[in-house]
Structures are given as C-alpha cells and as structure tokens.
C-alpha cells in the first residue's frame, strides 16, 4: 500500500498550518483534519471560472477576471482555456509557499499557467485588492476558504461581511459577477448577498468533473 507522503508545510499569515501531501500521483493540501483541495477533485473549481464566464460573455469582449486564491490552479487554468485570448487574469495568493509548490513539486499539475502572459500574479490579501478597486473587474472569483466562514483564516470573514460585499460590488463593472465557492450551502450568506444589493444565483456543482462526488455550492451574484 502506498502511504501518503508529507512534502512540505506552510503557515497562513495570521492563520494555521497548511500541509502539502502526495499520495501516488495525487496531491492534496490539508488544514488540520480538513482536506482543502486535491488533484482528485476539481470539477467545481473549474466551474467557478467557466460558469462565471457564461454570465458575462454577453456583455464584455475583453474581460478582466480577478481570482482570489490560486490553490492548485484549476480555476485559473479553466479561465485560460475558456476566456478570449485578449482577456486579463489577476490572481491574488496570500501564501507564498502555494506558489512555490506550483512551480516546484506540482509543476506538472500547474502546466506553466502562472507564466501565461495574460496572468498577473499578486501576492497578498485579496480583500485588500478588492477594497482598492473601483469598477475594475468584470468578474471576481473567490475560493479562499471552505465557504463564507473564515475557516482558513479568521480575517477572511471580512470578505464575506456586509462591508466586504459592498467593496466587491464597487470593484465590479456594472454588469460584472461575484462568484464565491463553498463546500456547502449557507442560507444566511445568501440573504447577506441579497441585502448587499446583489441578485443571487446559487448553484450546486459536482466536486468531480465527471459529475460524481459530493456537491459544492457556488454563489453567482450580480449587482442589481
């Protein structure tokens, strides 16, 4: 039996420890007892990009998409495959080791996506980037937690707060979309999005690309 191998560890700023494991040909990033992401399940991460593009492609020809959290790059690679060649993709990642893993032990998985000329990689807190923006993004994609609860980092709660959602609304173009990934439903957060001035479409998406596996949730919120 092949045992799971610990490859590296990283500390989230003001947060907890992340661990990168390899099991046979698969990688997984773990926080405590929670497997945050894995190369075995990535269907909903891809859907975050493709379904967001479906919602804006009729109103913009040269989209600028902000992706909060590189993770294992599934959302970014799906965006690169789907969006037009003259699109812009800004990726914001908080943990430097995540990028080091993408360029190191997970380079085969990353497929050079971070070096694509359409990609602008920023290191830091995506909440700060959103706060500073004014109608800069046609889509904002957030996958920085297991949902709108600040599991990975308590400071992430600010992103999902009334103030944070208002900042996201200001950062979007008038016809833009805010897309938020979650491991499960959260009716209270749906209502918070609506109170923040968004029209909300809550979609259940399979965790695996073949339609199998547990269902994850993506909120697609457009300014009203």
């Amino acid at each position: 039996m092949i045992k799971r191998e610990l490859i590296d560890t990283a500390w989230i700023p003001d947060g907890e420890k992340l661990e990168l494991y390899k099991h046979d040909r698969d990688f997984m990033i773990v926080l405590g007892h929670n497997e945050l992401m894995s190369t075995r399940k990535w269907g909903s991460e891809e859907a975050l990009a493709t379904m967001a593009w479906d919602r804006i492609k009729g109103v913009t020809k040269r989209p600028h998409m902000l992706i909060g959290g590189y993770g294992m790059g599934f959302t970014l690679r799906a965006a690169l495959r789907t969006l037009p060649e003259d699109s812009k993709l800004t990726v914001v990642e908080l943990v430097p080791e995540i990028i080091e893993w993408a360029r190191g032990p997970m380079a085969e998985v990353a497929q050079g996506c971070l070096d694509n000329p359409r990609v602008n990689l920023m290191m830091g807190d995506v909440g700060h980037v959103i706060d500073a923006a004014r109608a800069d993004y046609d889509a904002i994609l957030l996958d920085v937690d297991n949902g709108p609860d600040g599991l990975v980092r308590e400071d992430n709660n600010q992103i999902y707060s009334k103030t944070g959602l208002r900042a996201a609304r200001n950062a979007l173009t008038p016809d833009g979309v805010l897309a938020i990934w979650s491991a499960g439903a959260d009716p209270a957060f749906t209502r918070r999005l609506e109170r923040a001035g968004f029209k909300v479409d809550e979609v259940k998406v399979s965790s695996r690309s073949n339609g199998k596996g547990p269902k994850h949730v993506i909120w697609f919120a457009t300014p009203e």
Side-chain angles (χ1 to χ4, degrees):
M1 180 180 292
I2 300 174
K3 293 184 177 180
R4 191 170 71 166
E5 176 189 2
L6 177 63
I7 303 298
D8 199 7
T9 61
W11 286 92
I12 302 166
D14 303 318
E16 299 185 54
K17 182 172 68 173
L18 295 177
E19 295 174 314
L20 173 66
Y21 286 94
K22 185 177 183 183
H23 182 254
D24 197 4
R25 294 181 60 84
D26 284 309
F27 292 90
M28 55 222 67
I29 295 177
V30 176
L31 173 75
H33 297 294
N34 293 295
E35 183 177 285
L36 296 181
M37 60 200 81
S38 166
T39 54
R40 296 190 300 259
K41 296 178 290 186
W42 37 263
S44 59
E45 285 85 352
E46 287 196 336
L48 184 64
T50 58
M51 295 178 74
W53 171 236
D54 285 342
R55 286 160 169 77
I56 62 171
K57 62 184 177 183
V59 296
T60 179
K61 294 182 179 180
R62 299 181 61 188
H64 187 182
M65 182 176 283
L66 173 65
I67 300 176
Y70 171 79
M72 291 185 170
F74 293 113
T75 301
L76 173 60
R77 289 190 293 279
L80 286 168
R81 290 194 302 268
T82 307
L83 271 62
E85 287 298 321
D86 56 356
S87 60
K88 294 172 59 179
L89 295 159
T90 296
V91 179
V92 184
E93 175 55 54
L94 182 67
V95 183
E97 287 85 354
I98 293 286
I99 302 303
E100 292 173 11
W101 297 343
R103 298 190 187 280
M106 295 185 64
E108 186 176 347
V109 176
Q111 301 173 11
C113 63
L114 289 166
D115 300 317
N116 189 290
R118 286 187 281 164
V119 176
N120 173 34
L121 174 63
M122 300 175 64
M123 299 305 303
D125 188 330
V126 68
H128 296 164
V129 175
I130 292 172
D131 287 343
R134 293 294 181 275
D136 291 332
Y137 303 107
D138 299 292
I140 297 174
L141 280 51
L142 297 178
D143 184 5
V144 295
D145 261 297
N146 258 21
D149 56 7
L151 170 69
V152 172
R153 179 172 176 257
E154 187 173 346
D155 285 357
N156 285 346
N157 285 317
Q158 176 63 23
I159 298 173
Y160 313 116
S161 70
K162 180 180 178 180
T163 301
L165 294 176
R166 186 183 300 118
R169 194 170 184 272
N170 291 337
L172 286 170
T173 55
D175 295 312
V177 62
L178 170 65
I180 300 174
W181 184 96
S182 176
D186 187 335
F189 182 65
T190 301
R191 293 191 294 271
R192 196 182 313 152
L193 281 165
E194 292 170 342
R195 290 196 296 269
F198 287 102
K199 180 181 178 181
V200 182
D201 183 15
E202 182 179 331
V203 181
K204 291 184 178 180
V205 182
S206 297
S207 61
R208 297 182 184 272
S209 60
N210 61 5
K212 298 182 180 180
K215 298 291 185 180
H216 296 156
V217 170
I218 303 175
W219 289 276
F220 295 98
T222 52
E224 290 192 301

